[in-house]
Amino acid sequence: MTPSTTVHSPLRLYGRSGELAILETLLGKLRTGDGGALVLTAPPGLGRTALLRQAAAHYLRGHGGPVLYASAAPTEQRLPYSGLHALLCSAPGPLPLAPDTVLSSGITPGALLGLLRALGAEQPLLVCVDDAHLWDPDSRAALGFAARRLGAGSRVAVVIGAADETAFAGLPALRLGPLDDDAATALLDRLTDGAADVDPVVRSELLREAAGNPRLLAGLAGRLTPGQLAGRTALPYPLPGGESVLDAHAAHLDGLSCDTHTLLLLAAAAEEHEPDGAGSDAALLLRAGARAGLSASHLDRVLFAPAGSAGALQRAGSRVHFSHPLLRRAVLHRAPPGRRRAVHELLAGLLGGGEPDRARLPALVQKACASTGPDAGLAEQLERAATAPRPHGERSAALARAAALSTDDALRAARFTAAAEQARLAGDTGRARAMLARVGPHLAEGAAPYVRGMLALRDGPVADAREALLAAAELLAPHDPRRTLDALFGAAEAAWAMGDAIAYLDAMNRVPVAAADRPTAQYRAGMCAVLAGHPDRGHALLRCCLDSAARAEDAGELLRAGACALVLGEVDAACRAGARALAVVRTRGPEALLPHALEQLAYAELRSGQHARARAHALEGLHAARRTGQRNSAAHLHAVLALAASVEGPAEACAAHADAALTGAGPHGLAQAATLATWAVARADLAAGRPGEAAARLGPLVRPGPGTGHFATRMLAVPCYVEAVVLSGRAHEAGNELAVAVQEFTLWTTRTTDPQVPAQLARCRALLAPAEEAAARYEEALAHHDRAGGDFERARTRLLQGQLLRRLRRTREARGPLRDALVAFERCSARAWAGRAAGELRAAGEAVDARDRSGPGPLAALTPQQQRIARCVAEGATNREVAVRLSVSPRTVDHHLRNVFAALGVRSRTELARLLDRGGGARLQDRDEKKRADL
């Protein structure tokens, strides 16, 4: 049998690198003479066929071996052995057994196994079967029997594509999931030829509607005109182009009875008034099924036994869900319009007869689904019912239906805008933008710019958000004082994120005092006074605002109170206010505030030295930000996580989070996130013994003038900057900049009540003081630490104190501070800092237990001081730079380095760097292999 040439190389696949790697492993084994089997399972449209074609083409291209490839023909499902007949007919040459013989006389599973082994004996054979679940039962059984027995040495690999693995139980199965956002976006770019003019809202709506299904995405994008893609023409609703995928899902249900189809339609219709993913109420379905004339036994069998609906329905407690969201849409798509309307009317009648307040909105939604055209009266009823305490998501859906039923253009625009606002509050930014896109030329008296601005505040350029919100405030001021306040505070928040103090003051000064309650007015006046250079007056007002929050139950007021506490430097009060705000958001919503509440709490916990708790809250906030589509919040949370990792480690985590923060901060103008991320990386450099790099990063942040760091956070980095400059031996070179930074930090110390700041100032003065004065300065710093508490900052001071004593050759005295620093760093899980303290302690002549289980690798034969010098030199440091880092003379470095070269058998710094890189790489590889094994 000669190789087949009928399988052509497919187009590029997106988001399937993991699946392709698994297939390549199977094909690699086949090339070496081993066999195996793999079942690819997925609902229609996720790429089973594309992966099978890719595997076949790759095998032909790389090996040139024979391939048997067949796709199922649903019309032949009742014809015995038709599937195997099609498979054998794909052979490129004559077979020992004629395909027509199989079709007429059949073939036993054992005979098929023997045939495949015989073909593999000639040349390794790949067998690919697509849509095998649609094969006739005899072919499926025979193929499954043979595939289970093709292992090592068989020279035959079988790859099967099926809707599920039921018919091929016992075989390795790989279930395909939806494409992730990045892969779906890349696919959409290819489908639209990378057109730069695809409107972001249209892009978001296509990705949302496709839900990671590549075939559906291709169908939807292919049906839109260039004007619709560019956003110049309104999108059709619902989006066309998904019919083939929905038909493929519905085909799975073709063999079910008429009564079962009725119940599936009831279940699909009953989800229309429920939040996305909530399923339907089993009790409602039982009542609706009985009203539709279905027997109780049939209802029990279908609703409570998965086999009764061919796996289409799944029950979880009192809720009933479809096994796949597209399956529900397929059921509604397949039903005739008249029957669908009848089902909605039946459900509306059942819901309307319940508790009036609770069932009114669901009943109205069902009536809207049954409507045949615009209905102004029903639209008005839906709008009146879409109020609290209904969840924001339900209100958004009801308002969107009210807008679709509206006959007046202005009312339609206002209702779509209201739907967008409720979707935003529910944390569904994609739906909010889609609703805004349907507003049209009517701007709903400022409401639409307001929603656009609030969306951009969390997920867009903050400069754009500020301008949109200022414009919205002007439009809203005559008739909507509450939203006017929210718009102006949002504009101020955008200016704060930008790092523009003047723009912040401009927005806050526009807040109408008459429209604000007392705490809000105090907050506005206090923040303006602080930024205008009147800290005493500002702090008094902010403290009044903070005191008022003791009785607050509004999330916004509590978040403002937390901001007051942070500006005042009362970090414990900030933590309390943040925790209360988070509790309110969790219990009362809105969901859109959850990432911001977690971000503010995590930042307050960082400031108070609770790094582990800050990391936990920031991670939760990051997940919430991703879930709700808030990239700006995600950037800020990455910065918080980078700061936590600069204390706890590892350095790789700090770098990764900082990179993510800076990647998001740049395009959207997030100066605060950028400042915090840069500070985090510099602090990690300090922990790793790289003060020169830390000083280079921090210099632009702390020095005044253009390009400086964020006005509210750059002072926090000054202690690290002073330490980095001094330890890198550049204090004389940077004398003027250093003096200005310390002078500004000294002034800031008088304007904050942060308990750590006086200790940090004393530590800065100790670093800059002559040796005979430094000891007293360190004792002063430690006295402040004793009053303020906090292990990490105190340990940093003890570490620097010990380094000074060791530099003065008072080695025995240095051991006490260094030992205290090591213990404190370990107590607060500051691993990298503990490593630095341990190195200093070893250099002071005290043995330290090795905590790194990976061992010192190629440096095992060296003394602790030689190890430290070797690592510094391998990083590229000169002898003088190493001497400054380790508080020794260059001559000492030179002496130890000659001994290092002799002990390790290397002749140059380059060889030393390569040796350490190999040792470190091996340990990293071992660690990665262990992680994979654990997973």
Side-chain angles (χ1 to χ4, degrees):
M1 187 172 67
T2 58
S4 169
T5 58
T6 58
V7 179
H8 301 289
S9 177
L11 294 172
R12 176 186 171 188
L13 298 182
Y14 292 86
R16 298 299 184 204
S17 57
E19 292 85 349
L20 289 171
I22 292 172
L23 285 170
E24 174 56 31
T25 300
L26 179 65
L27 297 181
K29 291 181 178 178
L30 179 60
R31 294 187 192 102
T32 61
D34 285 333
L38 180 67
V39 182
L40 298 175
T41 67
L46 287 183
R48 288 194 321 260
T49 300
L51 278 170
L52 281 168
R53 289 178 178 169
Q54 183 91 324
H58 186 66
Y59 183 65
L60 278 171
R61 188 169 56 246
H63 185 71
V67 176
L68 298 182
Y69 192 104
S71 297
T75 56
E76 298 177 358
Q77 193 170 11
R78 297 181 182 277
L79 184 61
Y81 298 104
S82 58
L84 287 176
H85 178 264
L87 180 66
L88 297 177
C89 282
S90 71
L95 297 175
L97 181 64
D100 289 349
T101 303
V102 172
L103 187 60
S104 60
S105 305
I107 184 173
T108 65
L112 177 63
L113 176 61
L115 175 61
L116 294 178
R117 282 177 172 167
L119 294 176
E122 298 176 12
Q123 201 173 358
L125 171 69
L126 176 64
V127 178
C128 295
V129 179
D130 195 12
D131 288 333
H133 59 285
L134 299 177
W135 264 14
D136 60 280
D138 295 317
S139 294
R140 283 203 310 266
L143 180 64
F145 176 89
R148 292 184 192 96
R149 288 158 178 80
L150 294 171
S154 67
R155 296 165 61 88
V156 180
V158 178
V159 184
I160 301 169
D164 57 59
E165 60 270 26
T166 305
F168 301 99
L171 289 174
L174 175 62
R175 184 163 185 82
L176 306 184
L179 299 184
D180 61 28
D181 291 342
D182 291 338
T185 300
L187 174 59
L188 182 57
D189 287 339
R190 195 200 78 188
L191 293 169
T192 56
D193 295 324
D197 61 345
V198 176
D199 184 75
V201 175
V202 175
R203 179 186 297 274
S204 175
E205 185 65 6
L206 286 171
L207 295 174
R208 171 191 174 86
E209 188 74 10
N213 188 300
R215 183 174 157 195
L216 180 56
L217 181 59
L220 296 173
R223 293 286 293 274
L224 296 184
T225 67
Q228 289 168 339
L229 284 171
R232 295 189 296 269
T233 306
L235 292 177
Y237 184 80
L239 289 174
E243 294 81 6
S244 65
V245 176
L246 296 179
D247 287 340
H249 276 271
H252 177 63
L253 310 174
D254 282 347
L256 299 178
S257 68
C258 182
D259 284 352
T260 303
H261 275 286
T262 298
L263 187 54
L264 290 174
L265 182 56
L266 284 167
E271 288 196 31
E272 289 292 309
H273 66 267
E274 299 282 4
D276 287 344
S280 53
D281 182 16
L284 175 62
L285 292 181
L286 287 171
R287 292 165 57 207
R291 181 73 61 89
L294 305 182
S295 67
S297 60
H298 183 77
L299 290 171
D300 289 343
R301 185 168 63 254
V302 176
L303 289 179
F304 305 128
S309 62
L313 295 180
Q314 299 172 346
R315 188 183 175 204
S318 63
R319 310 298 295 180
V320 176
H321 301 262
F322 278 85
S323 57
H324 193 280
L326 286 179
L327 193 56
R328 185 186 83 86
R329 287 165 57 182
V331 169
L332 291 172
H333 169 73
R334 271 282 188 94
R339 190 176 182 214
R340 196 165 60 238
R341 285 195 297 270
V343 165
H344 285 302
E345 288 170 355
L346 185 154
L347 291 169
L350 290 173
L351 290 165
E355 302 173 39
D357 293 338
R358 185 177 178 185
R360 184 182 176 211
L361 185 58
L364 290 172
V365 170
Q366 291 295 336
K367 284 184 179 180
C369 292
S371 177
T372 57
D375 187 330
L378 181 56
E380 186 177 353
Q381 291 181 61
L382 278 165
E383 185 178 27
R384 285 202 305 267
T387 56
R390 307 299 308 192
H392 293 291
E394 291 185 30
R395 285 188 253 173
S396 175
L399 287 165
R401 292 189 184 279
L405 293 170
S406 301
T407 55
D408 180 77
D409 289 344
L411 271 177
R412 183 184 298 109
R415 286 164 179 165
F416 273 130
T417 302
E421 183 173 8
Q422 292 301 318
R424 178 188 71 82
L425 292 171
D428 194 342
T429 57
R431 181 180 177 84
R433 288 193 168 100
M435 293 296 101
L436 283 176
R438 302 177 69 181
V439 169
H442 299 278
L443 295 183
E445 298 178 315
Y450 166 76
V451 179
R452 287 194 181 95
M454 296 302 282
L455 287 170
L457 179 61
R458 303 290 177 219
D459 187 47
V462 285
D464 294 353
R466 174 181 171 273
E467 294 299 331
L469 289 168
L470 289 177
E474 289 186 14
L475 293 169
L476 292 166
H479 60 87
D480 196 336
R482 183 188 65 80
R483 280 195 181 88
T484 301
L485 278 177
D486 289 345
L488 290 172
F489 279 129
E493 186 180 342
W496 186 281
M498 293 162 54
D500 191 335
I502 295 174
Y504 180 87
L505 283 171
D506 174 59
M508 292 294 268
N509 284 326
R510 298 189 192 197
V511 173
V513 178
D517 57 22
R518 185 177 179 81
T520 303
Q522 290 170 337
Y523 173 75
R524 185 203 70 83
M527 294 297 287
C528 288
V530 169
L531 290 186
H534 307 292
D536 293 339
R537 177 171 175 270
H539 286 178
L541 288 164
L542 292 178
R543 194 161 281 106
C544 290
C545 178
L546 184 58
D547 293 340
S548 300
R551 299 174 297 278
E553 295 184 358
D554 175 71
E557 186 175 347
L558 288 167
L559 287 171
R560 284 193 290 272
C564 291
L566 287 171
V567 172
L568 291 167
E570 297 183 11
V571 290
D572 291 338
C575 290
R576 290 193 297 271
R580 288 183 58 208
L582 177 60
V584 171
V585 172
R586 287 193 202 279
T587 54
R588 302 179 189 174
E591 181 75 7
L593 265 184
L594 183 59
H596 183 57
L598 286 161
E599 172 201 333
Q600 186 167 301
L601 175 58
Y603 181 65
E605 288 169 338
L606 268 184
R607 293 277 301 273
S608 68
Q610 302 176 68
H611 303 103
R613 293 179 64 178
R615 174 170 46 81
H617 282 128
L619 280 173
E620 183 187 351
L622 185 59
H623 294 317
R626 289 170 175 164
R627 185 177 67 250
T628 56
Q630 299 186 30
R631 287 176 293 177
N632 292 355
S633 294
H636 283 104
L637 286 156
H638 273 300
V640 171
L641 286 165
L643 282 168
S646 72
V647 174
E648 296 183 323
E652 295 85 355
C654 177
H657 285 300
D659 285 346
L662 292 168
T663 299
H668 290 179
L670 306 174
Q672 184 173 16
T675 298
L676 295 177
T678 304
W679 176 29
V681 176
R683 193 158 69 176
D685 285 336
L686 271 178
R690 297 189 293 269
E693 294 180 29
R697 295 183 196 278
L698 293 173
L701 292 187
V702 301
R703 71 172 65 106
T708 189
H710 190 276
F711 65 85
T713 53
R714 67 187 187 90
M715 281 294 101
L716 299 172
V718 168
C720 285
Y721 173 65
V722 173
E723 181 179 341
V725 171
V726 172
L727 294 186
S728 63
R730 295 175 48 215
H732 180 72
E733 175 187 336
N736 186 50
E737 289 183 3
L738 202 57
V740 170
V742 173
Q743 183 179 3
E744 194 173 359
F745 188 74
T746 303
L747 179 62
W748 183 67
T749 303
T750 64
R751 297 178 175 180
T752 180
T753 57
D754 188 331
Q756 295 295 342
V757 170
Q760 291 172 332
L761 176 60
R763 187 170 72 209
C764 290
R765 288 171 172 165
L767 282 164
L768 296 172
E772 59 274 13
E773 297 178 17
R777 293 291 190 184
Y778 278 122
E779 291 301 328
E780 178 188 348
L782 291 170
H784 286 301
H785 283 307
D786 290 341
R787 289 189 289 272
D791 283 337
F792 179 67
E793 288 298 327
R794 190 179 196 283
R796 287 183 65 182
T797 300
R798 290 292 271 171
L799 173 61
L800 291 170
Q801 184 184 32
Q803 284 182 272
L804 171 67
L805 292 171
R806 197 173 68 77
R807 193 177 74 216
L808 296 175
R809 304 196 182 282
R810 294 159 61 180
T811 307
R812 189 181 299 276
E813 293 177 57
R815 293 173 189 166
L818 293 173
R819 195 182 304 113
D820 289 350
L822 174 60
V823 171
F825 284 138
E826 289 178 341
R827 188 163 52 240
C828 61
S829 299
R831 299 173 187 85
W833 292 88
R836 180 177 157 191
E840 290 288 343
L841 196 52
R842 290 191 196 99
E846 182 165 317
V848 179
D849 291 339
R851 301 300 174 98
D852 183 3
R853 302 303 182 193
S854 63
L859 305 184
L862 305 183
T863 67
Q865 184 73 315
Q866 289 172 346
Q867 289 180 18
R868 301 180 73 216
I869 290 173
R871 290 193 180 99
C872 291
V873 169
E875 292 173 2
T878 65
N879 284 9
R880 183 171 296 278
E881 289 169 340
V882 175
V884 171
R885 283 194 201 181
L886 304 185
S887 302
V888 296
S889 69
R891 182 176 298 176
T892 301
V893 173
D894 183 66
H895 168 74
H896 281 301
L897 192 56
R898 284 198 300 271
N899 291 335
V900 167
F901 283 5
L904 298 181
V906 297
R907 293 175 294 179
S908 69
R909 293 170 179 262
T910 302
E911 287 186 22
L912 176 62
R914 288 174 180 165
L915 178 66
L916 266 64
D917 184 60
R918 286 198 299 272
R923 290 194 299 276
L924 286 172
Q925 184 178 2
D926 292 343
R927 184 182 67 189
D928 291 343
E929 288 176 356
K930 182 180 184 300
K931 284 184 177 179
R932 285 194 292 270
D934 291 341
L935 289 173

